[in-house]
Amino acid sequence: MGFDIENFGLGVLAGWASAYGVYRARHRISAVVRAARGRAVSAQNYATQSADNRYVTDLIALAESNHLARRLTNLSDILVEPRFLPAPPPAAPPDDDLPRSAFRVVPVIPDHPYLHAPYNLETLSIDDLSKGERALALLGHPGSGRTTALMAIILRSLGRLKLEPPPDKIQQRIDAEEAALTDKQRAVRVKERLDIEQRAKERLALERGLVFDAETDADARTAIPLFNRLMPVYVHLADVQVSPQEFGKEVDPAEPLVRAVQRQVGRITASTIPANLYARLKRGQVLLLVDGYDDLPEEERGRQLAWLSALLAQYPQNFTIIAGPLEGCGALLKLGLAPVYLRPWNDLDSSSAARRWGEVWRSAAPRGRKADVDEAALKRALTNNRALSAFDLTLKFWVNYADDAEAPGVEGWLRAWLTRHLPPDISLGVLLPQLIQMAVIQLEDGYITQARLGALAGGGAAGAALAEPSTDSEPEPDDEPSSQPRRRGAKGKTAPAAAEETTAQARLINRLRRSGMLTRYAGGRYQFAHPLIAAYLASLSLKEASGTVRAERALKPAWRWAMPFAALHTPLEDAVRARLSAPPDVLYNHVLDLARWTAYAGADAPWRGPLLKYLGNLFLSPSQYPLLRERAAAALLTTRDRSVLYIFRQAARSSRPDVRRLACLGMGALGDPEAVADLRLLLRDEREEVQLAAALALGVVGAEAALDALVEVFTEGAEPLRQAAAETFAAIPDEGYPILYDAIHDEDMMLRRAAVFGLRRVQTNWALNAIYRAFLEDSQWYVRSAAQIAFQELQYGHDQYVQSYPPADSLPWLVNWAAERGENMPTGEGAHQMLLRALQEGEPPIRQLASSVIGQLGLVTMLKPLYGALRDRQAEVRDSAHRALADLQMHLGRPLPAPT
């Protein structure tokens, strides 16, 4: 049976309707919502009888099992909602009419994210991603959660992901009050809420010169988000086999995509998917999710980029998200993709994950294991989670509840994961030498293949054990529920897989694949289930290596993620010296990468103290480029070293306001209560940026004294500080929501106005209702105006959705500058030349804008003029040129010489 578009769309509507909770309180009284949900239920019943459901079932099985803990539970059971950060907007002249966010003082450093991670930055949800550009590059480092985010998008688009809000004391109180009312009283309350919402929308439409249409508004409320109207398709680029002759005018570039999709679904689905997928692509109804670009060997990337370029050109109307690296992202952006970053987990995310893991462990702990989650285990899970990646925290939570780590800390977490994914009849100690060799092969070659493992055949105890004929085609590990869906929809061995099991090394590979240690890709190629697992195993090869070999590996890009793990178990003095003596690059990665090593190194590592001193001097140097100062502050947090607090406290007394601002943010990100006294003093700093940073930092320290100080700021501070406090409270449900609820009803006009900005970030039913009332009924126009701004954004959206950078010839400031010189704006390369002239001939503000745009557009041909701009007389221009060079290094993915 063919793929029926209408059936698929109706089927996903049911899932969407059950997950779409923004209007959950209105279903009892809104006929529109009742009718929509009624249609959805009927659609779901119909779709389950359709052949289309087979594809959905296979895809859900893939999404639910494509994560680190797939041997224990489904992804949706432990998933934390991914949130996204758009790239900075295109450089433009300052607009004094636009409101300035308090979070402008927090620099976003994607490759060292733990400075901005705790702060309540404006982010985008999965649904928000669909409201901007239709081709996105999801950028991040290994372990940041990009693959998990793609799986979450799949589950969300298929209605299988219900994103629960955090516990809300105010909503619980309101629900309890209403439960005590009679049915008639409750109906009156519900009607009042609907009436005030409609009156607010009518007033807002009037203010904007529009006519409010209740029927159109009802349709908008029940409109299906874009991702729920598209067919999700996921591929890993290692499964896409292409050659330069395989696509072009005669060959459809969708063919390699179709073959890759066929590999990951069941046999029946694979036979029906080609014609259906082609039809959907032609109609622009595919949500294409592409993974694994930075898992590819360097020599394969160009070929895959050519295929992606052809596919996007042939089918531009579909929605495409491609996961890629932070460094070297320019190759993807040249395809027309708009950059977006994963926001790292904040405290609320890690706490939510810890609790969800506890719930999973209670229900899914294997027989014979401790299933109870006591307070001590929960406390351990909630403690000391800052500056840990999603990868780290997943391993930590699993070990915490299973209580099965062989050693404390990160290495114990990693070894516990490995032990769980071994074939059941062999120990880690026996198999470890082979695993190390395989990991080194992956780092050096990109893939593990049978040919490269020939030396393992029959070698050692592990080789002998694994050479025995296998009777368990799909072994059931002791901590994997038997109902766990298998990845790629496989039901037993295919003929090629059976043919491969003819040698000991082939049996080794296949048993590790079946146990979940390895993942198989097209062409008989394999990789470890996560690149950081391969990095850790490869790092173990350095234990017996000479200092010279360690120093050589420390300088090789392929070993970048293995070297931090090597610090867990191996002296690295030679490697550290090699890095520090390497020529500095624009981003100072030759030094800042060592911050990751420090996070894993023992307290007695002889190079730890000197490196921290070096980073501290880089941060505090009075003649430092602002970007390097920000990166040094972020890298200090990456080290997870307690002594970093001393550096930030020292910096808080600097005469430079930018140093004091970063010191505040650093102390807040550390979360150490000892910093509260310093932050209180900086609330009275002469510079507003420092005051804002101090207020935001108090909100993320988390200690009672810090929250008391933030309440004082909220109730007594200047208006910008009150707003910063309110938006910080929006990220602290337990303590913050009650404060905002009380504030919006307070007699103090300034307190009510500040509360509106916090409520805008909360977006619960009671918060929305409070904004409606403030907009309509507050006695002070100053509060009403704030409520109008908040309501307008909630109603009509905002301008922070993901956007690609516009071409140079469409930049208004550049067009005006050319016109002032009596010239028309050329297009294409001519516009780039006009941009270069603006850099070299314009006034300082124009030179500053021009350098910024050169970096944002990735114009690597202008490297020399940018280096020249580093000698500009204006500090702002020099700073902008340096940031542009940093952008170009990120685009290229290779070091550019640091300015001397």
Side-chain angles (χ1 to χ4, degrees):
M1 185 180 294
F3 194 97
D4 187 320
I5 274 179
E6 288 76 12
N7 290 350
F8 184 89
L10 290 171
V12 299
L13 173 58
W16 166 80
S18 65
Y20 197 74
V22 175
Y23 293 94
R24 65 185 189 275
R26 298 165 173 79
H27 71 283
R28 292 167 293 183
I29 43 80
S30 171
V32 174
V33 178
R34 284 200 305 268
R37 290 182 175 175
R39 292 194 300 269
V41 171
S42 299
Q44 186 178 47
N45 292 336
Y46 186 75
T48 55
Q49 303 171 23
S50 168
D52 305 339
N53 198 46
R54 286 194 293 268
Y55 173 74
V56 174
T57 300
D58 288 349
L59 188 58
I60 288 172
L62 168 65
E64 290 281 23
S65 62
N66 194 5
H67 64 108
L68 271 174
R70 62 174 172 261
R71 294 171 65 84
L72 177 67
T73 188
N74 286 332
L75 176 62
S76 57
D77 294 331
I78 56 173
L79 182 70
V80 172
E81 178 187 3
R83 303 289 298 191
F84 306 91
L85 291 165
D95 187 344
D96 294 335
D97 293 332
L98 292 177
R100 303 182 73 194
S101 168
F103 294 92
R104 70 183 184 275
V105 302
V106 183
V108 175
I109 313 292
D111 56 328
H112 286 278
Y114 303 121
L115 178 61
H116 67 263
Y119 294 96
N120 192 25
L121 305 177
E122 293 271 11
T123 59
L124 303 175
S125 67
I126 291 176
D127 291 339
D128 289 335
L129 284 186
S130 69
K131 299 174 183 176
E133 298 287 348
R134 294 179 70 95
L136 310 179
L138 178 57
L139 306 178
H141 275 327
S144 60
R146 290 167 299 167
T147 296
T148 299
L150 295 182
M151 298 303 104
I153 291 170
I154 290 172
L155 294 171
R156 179 67 169 168
S157 71
L158 295 176
R160 293 298 294 258
L161 184 61
K162 187 173 183 180
L163 301 173
E164 294 286 351
D168 183 345
K169 292 179 180 178
I170 300 302
Q171 191 62 53
Q172 291 169 2
R173 185 196 310 171
I174 293 172
D175 291 344
E177 290 174 357
E178 292 193 356
L181 300 177
T182 66
D183 290 345
K184 184 176 181 180
Q185 290 171 324
R186 280 196 297 273
V188 170
R189 280 204 179 187
V190 170
K191 186 176 185 304
E192 286 177 353
R193 286 200 292 267
L194 283 179
D195 287 345
I196 198 166
E197 178 183 359
Q198 180 159 329
R199 287 196 295 121
K201 290 179 177 179
E202 290 172 351
R203 170 79 66 81
L204 183 61
L206 182 63
E207 296 281 351
R208 291 171 59 90
L210 304 173
V211 177
F212 177 76
D213 187 328
E215 184 174 345
T216 300
D217 180 67
D219 291 341
R221 290 194 298 175
T222 56
I224 304 173
L226 176 61
F227 285 172
N228 297 89
R229 292 182 267 127
L230 301 176
M231 171 186 173
V233 173
Y234 170 82
V235 291
H236 191 288
L237 284 173
D239 266 337
V240 179
Q241 293 187 298
V242 297
S243 65
Q245 297 77 30
E246 205 166 349
F247 52 86
K249 293 182 179 179
E250 292 79 20
V251 179
D252 193 330
E255 287 189 15
L257 172 65
V258 171
R259 290 197 296 271
V261 172
Q262 286 178 301
R263 282 181 48 79
Q264 68 186 22
V265 297
R267 291 188 184 89
I268 298 176
T269 308
S271 66
T272 61
I273 198 66
N276 306 324
L277 183 50
Y278 281 124
R280 296 284 291 198
L281 283 166
K282 290 176 182 177
R283 296 172 183 172
Q285 295 169 335
V286 167
L287 170 58
L288 178 59
L289 306 166
V290 180
D291 202 0
Y293 175 75
D294 46 338
D295 294 338
L296 299 174
E298 195 68 36
E299 61 271 15
E300 284 190 23
R301 293 186 182 182
R303 186 164 65 246
Q304 297 288 18
L305 286 168
W307 169 70
L308 286 169
S309 178
L311 184 70
L312 292 171
Q314 183 78 15
Y315 302 102
Q317 65 274 42
N318 296 283
F319 202 111
T320 303
I321 303 176
I322 303 177
L326 292 169
E327 294 163 6
C329 62
L332 292 175
L333 302 185
K334 284 181 181 178
L335 300 178
L337 307 179
V340 63
Y341 308 100
L342 259 181
R343 185 199 68 184
W345 281 5
N346 58 21
D347 290 350
L348 193 60
D349 293 327
S350 58
S351 297
S352 174
R355 289 187 167 87
R356 298 195 75 172
W357 265 92
E359 293 168 4
V360 164
W361 198 255
R362 288 187 185 96
S363 60
R367 186 176 302 171
R369 294 283 187 88
K370 179 182 177 183
D372 293 334
V373 177
D374 57 26
E375 288 300 319
L378 182 59
K379 185 177 180 179
R380 287 196 305 271
L382 295 171
T383 302
N384 198 26
N385 289 336
R386 291 201 181 172
L388 289 175
S389 68
F391 172 86
D392 296 327
L393 288 169
T394 299
L395 297 181
K396 173 187 172 179
F397 295 149
W398 198 348
V399 164
N400 176 71
Y401 292 117
D403 196 24
D404 62 352
E406 297 178 2
V410 175
E411 188 155 27
W413 307 342
L414 288 159
R415 285 181 172 265
W417 188 93
L418 289 168
T419 300
R420 296 185 198 105
H421 290 77
L422 291 172
D425 55 350
I426 192 166
S427 69
L428 180 59
V430 170
L431 190 57
L432 194 58
Q434 282 78 7
L435 295 178
I436 293 171
Q437 291 183 48
M438 295 167 75
V440 171
I441 289 172
Q442 179 172 323
L443 263 61
E444 297 288 352
D445 297 356
Y447 299 105
I448 303 159
T449 62
Q450 179 180 336
R452 289 285 278 125
L453 286 177
L456 290 178
L466 290 163
E468 294 300 321
S470 177
T471 59
D472 53 335
S473 62
E474 290 286 351
E476 286 285 336
D478 64 349
D479 58 350
E480 179 181 10
S482 59
S483 60
Q484 179 69 23
R486 295 189 180 97
R487 194 177 176 192
R488 301 185 180 276
K491 303 290 185 182
K493 299 173 187 175
T494 61
E500 284 182 9
E501 291 205 16
T502 57
T503 64
Q505 62 267 31
R507 285 192 287 274
L508 166 63
I509 288 175
N510 277 285
R511 293 196 69 192
L512 291 175
R513 175 185 63 82
R514 290 194 294 270
S515 71
M517 184 89 69
L518 297 181
T519 300
R520 183 177 185 233
Y521 296 111
R525 303 175 300 172
Y526 297 82
Q527 290 180 343
F528 281 91
H530 196 286
L532 293 185
I533 297 295
Y536 167 68
L537 287 167
S539 79
L540 296 173
S541 71
L542 299 177
K543 275 188 173 184
E544 306 301 327
S546 66
T548 301
V549 169
R550 293 171 190 162
E552 291 173 353
R553 296 275 168 87
L555 299 176
K556 295 181 68 172
W559 284 78
R560 181 181 188 183
W561 301 106
M563 295 308 299
F565 292 127
L568 288 167
H569 48 68
T570 302
L572 293 178
E573 289 82 357
D574 292 327
V576 171
R577 280 195 295 271
R579 293 292 304 223
L580 291 176
S581 60
D585 59 281
V586 168
L587 292 170
Y588 262 55
N589 281 340
H590 75 296
V591 174
L592 300 191
D593 273 359
L594 297 178
R596 297 189 182 89
W597 302 19
T598 310
Y600 294 137
D604 58 347
W607 49 270
R608 172 184 286 273
L611 177 64
L612 289 170
K613 183 177 180 180
Y614 188 110
L615 292 174
N617 290 336
L618 195 65
F619 169 49
L620 293 167
S621 174
S623 58
Q624 189 59 269
Y625 282 107
L627 175 63
L628 283 184
R629 194 184 309 283
E630 294 168 0
R631 290 181 60 78
L636 284 167
L637 292 161
T638 302
T639 67
R640 287 177 57 85
D641 193 289
R642 292 272 300 175
S643 66
V644 167
L645 177 61
Y646 172 79
I647 298 174
F648 286 131
R649 294 184 74 176
Q650 180 184 1
R653 293 158 177 79
S654 170
S655 61
R656 296 187 59 89
D658 58 335
V659 175
R660 299 196 302 275
R661 171 179 60 89
L662 292 169
C664 291
L665 298 172
M667 287 188 286
L670 283 172
D672 194 323
E674 291 184 21
V676 172
D678 299 86
L679 293 172
R680 275 183 174 274
L681 289 174
L682 291 163
L683 289 171
R684 298 191 293 273
D685 195 274
E686 62 184 2
R687 300 294 290 267
E688 182 180 277
E689 288 78 9
V690 179
Q691 296 173 21
L692 287 170
L696 296 175
L698 284 169
V700 301
V701 166
E704 184 176 350
L707 291 177
D708 289 344
L710 190 63
V711 170
E712 291 179 20
V713 169
F714 185 47
T715 56
E716 302 172 7
E719 185 173 354
L721 293 179
R722 289 179 182 233
Q723 182 176 335
E727 294 195 62
T728 299
F729 286 137
I732 316 173
D734 281 352
E735 296 88 358
Y737 286 11
I739 292 172
L740 293 174
Y741 181 82
D742 292 340
I744 196 63
H745 298 98
D746 196 86
E747 294 180 357
D748 184 342
M749 173 189 72
M750 299 303 294
L751 200 57
R752 297 198 305 277
R753 177 178 168 85
V756 167
F757 291 100
L759 295 175
R760 175 185 65 89
R761 303 289 301 277
V762 171
Q763 296 191 31
T764 61
N765 287 329
W766 64 265
L768 293 173
N769 189 62
I771 290 175
Y772 301 152
R773 289 189 179 278
F775 175 44
L776 291 173
E777 301 174 356
D778 198 278
S779 60
Q780 299 293 330
W781 71 267
Y782 202 44
V783 180
R784 294 197 301 272
S785 66
Q788 179 174 344
I789 293 171
F791 184 28
Q792 183 169 305
E793 182 176 310
L794 293 170
Q795 181 72 3
Y796 297 105
H798 51 74
D799 57 359
Q800 295 190 14
Y801 300 127
V802 182
Q803 300 293 333
S804 58
Y805 291 120
D809 54 40
S810 66
L811 296 169
W813 66 266
L814 186 59
V815 173
N816 292 339
W817 184 76
E820 289 171 359
R821 299 170 64 88
E823 302 181 38
N824 292 323
M825 171 58 66
T827 59
E829 186 57 35
H832 294 168
Q833 291 304 311
M834 184 66 71
L835 194 59
L836 178 59
R837 289 174 57 191
L839 173 65
Q840 297 173 332
E841 303 170 13
E843 294 298 310
I846 294 296
R847 299 201 301 273
Q848 184 178 352
L849 288 171
S851 57
S852 295
V853 168
I854 289 171
Q856 290 176 329
L857 295 182
L859 302 179
V860 296
T861 58
M862 298 189 187
L863 280 171
K864 187 174 180 180
L866 281 178
Y867 276 105
L870 295 175
R871 298 189 294 272
D872 196 281
R873 287 174 294 178
Q874 299 293 322
E876 293 80 7
V877 178
R878 296 195 300 271
D879 171 30
S880 179
H882 183 261
R883 291 179 185 273
L885 287 169
D887 286 340
L888 294 184
Q889 179 169 323
M890 281 289 195
H891 275 72
L892 289 169
R894 61 175 185 267
L896 297 176
T900 56

